[in-house]
Amino acid sequence: MLTAYGFVDKRLRPVPVESAEDLLRPDVVWIDSVEPNEHERALLQDVFRLKLDDEEVEDIEDSARCFVDEAGIHLNSFFLHQHHDGAEVVTVSFLLNEGRLLSIRNEELAAFRLFRMRARMQVDFVRTAEDVLLSIYDVAVEYAADVLEGVYADLDKVSRRVLNRNAVMTDAAMADTVADIAAQEDLNGKVRLDLMDTRRSLSFLLRCRVLQQTQEEDLREVLRDLESLNNHTAFLFDKINFLMDAVMGLINLQQNKIIKIFSIAAVVFLPPTVIASIYGMNFGEMPELQWHLGYPFALVLMVLSGIAPYWFFKRKGWL
């Protein structure tokens, strides 16, 4: 889908696109392409004199993700995409070309939806293609901050569950807790990757010196927000590691309790087993062999020999 945007009453609104000439209209400042088909890809390549290569877009080298050529300034940035199956980072390609911004992506992203809503509702929210690009990045950083707040809230719930002394965690509850922590670690890692890549793109854009002074100030403000969010992701990683260590400690404690029970049971039943083994021998000269009370005596002796170590362990507080 290919959508062009221009200004109507100082608000960013979509304008009809029927041919290549429509994309070059003076009032068009942003062309947004979502999952372009072959016709749309050919149209964009012809109008903007570029080659759309999906493999190059996914490269992680600085030279492949941010560069300048005859077509303009290219920025390939990660954006966080959350869906019902989890979260992922998807690449969005930007091109600043003669006062126009081209964005190409394969997913409908929350940051773009939020930006379009603000640009449609607020007067003079953006005025140039550079404003559009900076505002999209700014909204994406805000979205990442909201996601991190959600990660912290979920980790706080896990923390209360793990550190509650009065709660008894079953094996199933522990397995769910480990899965929850792992999911939050994965999401926090994707947010951190998104923030680091965004900082790289904005730093490159700043070095290109195509922005006005007020735009550079706005960009530096976004970079400061990125730095604070990066520090927050580091804090969340520490919290995740602590909770994972705490859960693994609880699992080890439960396993140790089970092993302890087996160990004590083995010690308790060892003396009766020894007595039973002695009286189970078939020697003819055994003193109690012909004794009428020999059998009950052996049973009582085995019971007492089992109670004695149990009482000793109980007194020591090992049970």
Side-chain angles (χ1 to χ4, degrees), residues 25-255:
R25 288 167 44 181
D27 58 331
V28 172
V29 295
W30 179 32
I31 298 97
D32 186 32
S33 178
V34 182
E35 292 186 291
N37 55 37
E38 292 299 326
H39 171 71
E40 293 170 343
R41 293 171 74 92
L43 180 62
L44 293 175
Q45 292 180 127
D46 180 58
V47 171
F48 292 97
R49 306 183 304 278
L50 53 83
K51 179 181 178 182
L52 300 181
D53 191 335
D54 293 336
E55 293 184 359
E56 291 184 0
V57 166
E58 298 298 332
D59 287 343
I60 62 174
E61 295 85 356
D62 287 348
S63 60
R65 297 188 69 79
C66 304
F67 59 93
V68 180
D69 61 10
E70 64 277 2
I73 300 175
H74 297 260
L75 301 172
N76 297 318
S77 298
F78 286 140
F79 279 73
L80 187 66
H81 177 48
Q82 286 186 293
H83 44 79
H84 63 279
D85 291 330
E88 60 180 337
V89 287
V90 299
T91 299
V92 178
S93 297
F94 294 105
L95 170 66
L96 273 174
N97 173 275
E98 298 178 356
R100 297 180 183 85
L101 175 67
L102 170 65
S103 60
I104 304 174
R105 51 200 168 92
N106 292 323
E107 300 286 349
E108 182 57 57
L109 303 173
F112 281 76
R113 290 196 300 267
L114 183 57
F115 166 75
R116 290 196 303 266
M117 181 185 68
R118 292 182 180 179
R120 186 174 62 250
M121 300 295 295
Q122 299 181 28
V123 176
D124 284 336
F125 181 68
V126 290
R127 296 182 179 180
T128 64
E130 290 80 6
D131 287 341
V132 173
L133 178 60
L134 291 178
S135 296
I136 290 175
Y137 277 123
D138 187 27
V139 172
V141 172
E142 290 182 16
Y143 179 71
D146 293 338
V147 173
L148 289 179
E149 290 179 2
V151 171
Y152 179 81
D154 291 339
L155 288 176
D156 193 50
K157 294 178 182 177
V158 174
S159 179
R160 290 196 299 269
R161 190 192 319 162
V162 172
L163 302 179
N164 186 1
R165 294 184 177 182
N166 298 323
V168 178
M169 296 187 67
T170 63
D171 292 342
M174 286 191 176
D176 292 340
T177 301
V178 172
D180 291 341
I181 295 175
Q184 299 309 317
E185 192 277 338
D186 179 71
L187 180 56
N188 189 52
K190 288 183 170 63
V191 172
R192 187 177 181 87
L193 177 62
D194 172 32
L195 295 175
M196 293 174 62
D197 192 73
T198 299
R199 181 173 58 182
R200 175 169 55 182
S201 298
L202 291 178
S203 298
F204 178 83
L205 183 62
L206 186 62
R207 292 194 300 270
C208 290
R209 300 188 181 279
V210 296
L211 303 178
Q212 301 176 5
Q213 183 177 357
T214 56
Q215 292 172 337
E216 289 187 359
E217 293 175 357
D218 293 339
L219 189 151
R220 288 190 173 92
E221 183 66 27
V222 176
L223 287 175
R224 285 191 289 271
D225 293 339
L226 283 171
E227 187 64 29
S228 64
L229 290 179
N230 270 324
N231 294 334
H232 192 59
T233 59
F235 161 73
L236 290 178
F237 275 126
D238 291 339
K239 186 176 182 65
I240 288 169
N241 290 332
F242 166 74
L243 290 176
M244 186 63 77
D245 290 341
V247 173
M248 297 307 297
L250 291 176
I251 293 175
N252 289 334
L253 284 176
Q254 286 200 356
Q255 291 177 342

